[in-house]
Amino acid sequence: MTEFQEIASCGRQHRVREPDQSVLLVRARGAEDLEAEALALVLAPYSGLDGLMARSERLVRAAAGQGLAGIAALGRLARADVLKRTGKIPQALRLARQVLEWATEADDRIVAARAHAILARALASMGERVESLTHAGRAVQLLDGSAPLHLRADHAVVFAEVTSILRPGGSLTALWQADELARELGDPGLVLVNLNNMAWVQYEAGDLFGARHTVDRLRLFAEESGAELSATAVDTVGRVLMEGGELAEAEAALAPVFAGRVQDTNGHGFAFCLLTLAEIKRRTGDDAEALRILTLCRQHAEAAGPADARARALHETAKIHAERGEYRAAYEAMAACYEAWQQLRSEQSDVAAWTLHTLFDIERAQQQSRQYQELAERDSLTGLWNRRRLDQHLPQLIDEAHASGPAGSPAALSVALIDVDHFKRINDRYSHDVGDAVLHAIARLLDQTMDGDGFAARLGGEEFLLVLPGTAAAAAVALSEHTRLAIENHQWSPINDGLAVTASIGVASLVHGDTQATLLRRADELMYRAKRSGRNQVVGPEA
């Protein structure tokens, strides 16, 4: 018998962590005590979920009995938070929306802000990214400096978390701001959650050095504060260590989760720890143990969620079978993986449709329609604007440049067409997953290059475009050279050892009579000139 045979049942064990504040509700000693309990319930889930539903229900009863409608509403939102964290997303959304409607009518900004924070996380968990960010922004905006620090700090963490989902790698500023508020509040659980989010954002962006540094800060703070890492944070630690090649240390970091000594505060940390452990075993050559752990992960996900962990476990299972030449087993696992992903997407679509139908009024539905239009103009892999958005926006910029320039000449406007060199070789040699990761990382680099009115777009495949209003040819070439170097010098090894990526760039600037078609055609010709001249270079307009 190995230590992992009882792993699924261990993952569902929770230790009771009932803070002393709960006795205040039994005694009902007044508004101040009830308000303190309401604020305590904001942060309590970061340490564990045991007993929180009962505490929130006692708070609702006690506050309602004393006519404290606002505190009772906060108690209902605490219930919604627990529902969300235990996978009951529709119920959480319904309850939070009801409270938000009451708070709006009662002009209670504190309760409204809290409802927006609950809605933000719930919507993010079902993939409604733009709507989630809208609620996260309102959760912060509704609180001024006089609002309780518990709420201001937590909502800053929520905003940073949701922003990192919408724009991976682009939310470190929000995370640092959240870190300052969490440390000012002095709540170890909140500090650890935010540090975990920061490490994961850096890891997702390919900044393995930054992620390793943040993981060290995370573990040191936990040790110094006496607080415990959640299963989600332990998984982050294990994955960052694993990607850095510290396989034995990564496995040791995960061990407390499987011994039942770590709280799973959001319901999916245990399953993802299993996925990370399976990857460690695969990298150490123990395919048999990796497959067995993946089986445990699927069983756990089927029983307790999350559904995407089951799909990921099947995908990893298929990869291992394929590497071992067990092609029939690989096919069967991949087919099951596809079915699991389709089922998950269907369930998310059903929840999203239900949300639109039951939660949002006409004004909100109209707002969401506009936001879905924005999502339709985003490339699903990279998050950059897509060709549809480019075809709508670039002609307008060209018309404005023609209209605002001096007689006979347009105002400055340039474009840079970027094509990843030998991209087919990357897909063929490393895998399409690696190719997707490369495109995602390049998109982040391009996004960081943009400022002002400029924007980056993915045209399709391995082609990107920088649109640079107000930028003349020389400046556009200089910026493109900076971009080329950023791609060439990026640390690609976290994606795959030995990986090197370069790009060829053609820069064209607007001239009299240009349309979008003629401008992009010149950029395309110059980009191919860069390819023919040896690749990994920038070719701009001829003097």
Side-chain angles (χ1 to χ4, degrees):
M1 177 181 295
T2 72
E3 61 181 307
F4 301 110
Q5 287 180 321
E6 300 297 327
I7 211 163
S9 61
C10 289
R12 291 190 289 272
Q13 292 176 359
H14 295 285
R15 288 169 298 148
V16 176
R17 295 168 56 104
E18 281 280 16
D20 293 337
Q21 290 97 322
S22 62
V23 300
L24 299 176
L25 299 182
V26 177
R27 299 173 184 171
R29 284 165 35 186
E32 290 185 2
D33 290 338
L34 297 179
E35 181 178 351
E37 173 67 356
L39 294 177
L41 286 171
V42 170
L43 303 180
Y46 294 120
S47 299
L49 302 179
D50 293 308
L52 294 190
M53 187 63 79
R55 283 177 62 185
S56 63
E57 290 171 354
R58 290 198 296 270
L59 175 62
V60 172
R61 289 196 301 269
Q66 297 188 40
L68 302 172
I71 295 178
L74 290 175
R76 295 177 69 199
L77 290 173
R79 291 173 54 194
D81 194 10
V82 175
L83 288 170
K84 181 268 167 190
R85 292 171 183 270
T86 53
K88 300 177 177 64
I89 306 299
Q91 298 94 316
L93 286 167
R94 181 187 298 113
L95 183 53
R97 181 59 182 173
Q98 290 171 351
V99 175
L100 179 59
E101 290 175 351
W102 173 87
T104 302
E105 184 176 349
D107 195 26
D108 191 321
R109 294 170 66 88
I110 296 292
V111 174
R114 189 64 191 152
H116 280 297
I118 301 299
L119 287 167
R121 272 196 169 133
L123 289 165
S125 69
M126 53 184 262
E128 299 294 318
R129 299 184 297 174
V130 174
E131 185 68 20
S132 171
L133 184 59
T134 300
H135 284 288
R138 292 295 292 157
V140 172
Q141 294 164 0
L142 285 171
L143 300 179
D144 58 24
S146 65
L149 185 56
H150 289 66
L151 294 177
R152 289 190 287 122
D154 183 68
H155 293 189
V157 170
V158 171
F159 179 78
E161 182 178 304
V162 170
T163 303
S164 70
I165 295 172
L166 187 64
R167 295 186 60 195
S171 59
L172 286 179
T173 299
L175 286 160
W176 280 113
Q177 292 170 344
D179 184 69
E180 290 179 5
L181 285 173
R183 290 177 186 274
E184 180 183 349
L185 177 63
D187 183 80
L190 194 61
V191 173
L192 290 174
V193 166
N194 193 65
L195 283 172
N196 174 64
N197 292 342
M198 188 179 299
W200 190 255
V201 166
Q202 292 168 316
Y203 169 79
E204 286 281 280
D207 181 10
L208 190 59
F209 177 82
R212 183 65 167 85
H213 176 68
T214 304
V215 159
D216 289 341
R217 293 176 57 214
L218 176 75
R219 300 173 86 181
L220 179 62
F221 182 85
E223 181 180 349
E224 292 179 344
S225 66
E228 297 178 351
L229 296 180
S230 67
T232 302
V234 170
D235 177 59
T236 300
V237 171
R239 188 153 288 272
V240 170
L241 293 173
M242 177 187 73
E243 293 297 345
E246 302 171 79
L247 301 183
E249 187 172 358
E251 184 172 352
L254 294 170
V257 174
F258 307 130
R261 301 198 304 268
V262 175
Q263 289 278 331
D264 191 355
T265 56
N266 60 13
H268 65 241
F270 182 80
F272 283 102
C273 283
L274 283 173
L275 286 173
T276 301
L277 180 63
E279 177 68 10
I280 293 170
K281 293 297 183 183
R282 185 185 70 81
R283 295 191 185 194
T284 57
D286 194 348
D287 288 349
E289 184 70 359
L291 288 170
R292 194 159 62 83
I293 294 168
L294 289 170
T295 298
L296 289 171
C297 181
R298 295 202 310 272
Q299 293 171 346
H300 176 81
E302 288 168 0
D308 59 333
R310 176 174 178 268
R312 292 178 189 276
L314 286 165
H315 185 261
E316 292 302 312
T317 299
K319 286 170 58 178
I320 293 174
H321 282 307
E323 290 171 355
R324 291 163 58 126
E326 300 164 352
Y327 298 115
R328 181 176 182 80
Y331 173 80
E332 292 173 350
M334 187 56 71
C337 173
Y338 177 78
E339 182 180 351
W341 276 119
Q342 290 297 104
Q343 180 181 352
L344 176 62
R345 288 169 180 162
S346 175
E347 291 172 354
Q348 288 180 333
S349 297
D350 290 344
V351 174
W354 175 87
T355 302
L356 285 173
H357 182 69
T358 62
L359 292 184
F360 299 102
D361 54 21
I362 294 176
E363 179 181 354
R364 180 65 69 182
Q366 290 173 339
Q367 178 184 7
Q368 188 170 43
S369 177
R370 292 191 296 271
Q371 292 164 342
Y372 271 112
Q373 181 179 354
E374 179 179 344
L375 280 180
E377 296 172 349
R378 294 280 184 184
D379 176 62
S380 60
L381 173 63
T382 65
L384 297 179
W385 295 120
N386 58 20
R387 185 61 186 251
R388 174 181 176 180
R389 171 72 176 192
L390 179 74
D391 290 342
Q392 292 177 348
H393 196 45
L394 182 54
Q396 297 175 8
L397 293 175
I398 291 173
D399 289 345
E400 292 171 3
H402 281 309
S404 59
S409 299
L413 186 152
S414 299
V415 297
L417 182 60
I418 302 167
D419 188 274
V420 182
D421 294 330
H422 300 302
F423 186 69
K424 185 177 184 301
R425 291 185 190 176
I426 294 174
N427 279 334
D428 292 344
R429 179 177 179 182
Y430 295 103
S431 79
H432 286 275
D433 286 342
V434 170
D436 286 350
V438 167
L439 296 177
H440 188 276
I442 289 176
R444 300 284 69 77
L445 293 172
L446 299 183
D447 219 14
Q448 294 165 13
T449 301
M450 293 295 94
D451 58 12
D453 296 326
F455 64 90
R458 183 186 179 202
L459 301 185
E462 64 271 29
E463 283 193 343
F464 299 86
L465 188 75
L466 302 182
V467 178
L468 308 168
T471 306
V477 169
L479 185 145
S480 297
E481 177 64 16
H482 173 79
T483 301
R484 184 194 67 79
L485 289 171
I487 294 171
E488 181 182 16
N489 296 328
H490 184 70
Q491 294 297 317
W492 296 105
S493 56
I495 294 178
N496 203 294
D497 289 338
L499 177 64
V501 181
T502 61
S504 301
I505 305 176
V507 179
S509 295
L510 193 68
V511 298
H512 179 69
D514 256 341
T515 63
Q516 173 175 309
T518 59
L519 180 64
L520 294 184
R521 187 180 305 122
R522 286 203 311 281
D524 188 63
E525 292 170 353
L526 293 168
M527 183 271 292
Y528 276 104
R529 187 183 301 174
K531 293 279 190 186
R532 290 192 297 270
S533 300
R535 293 183 170 83
N536 190 26
Q537 56 187 282
V538 177
V539 175
E542 295 179 355

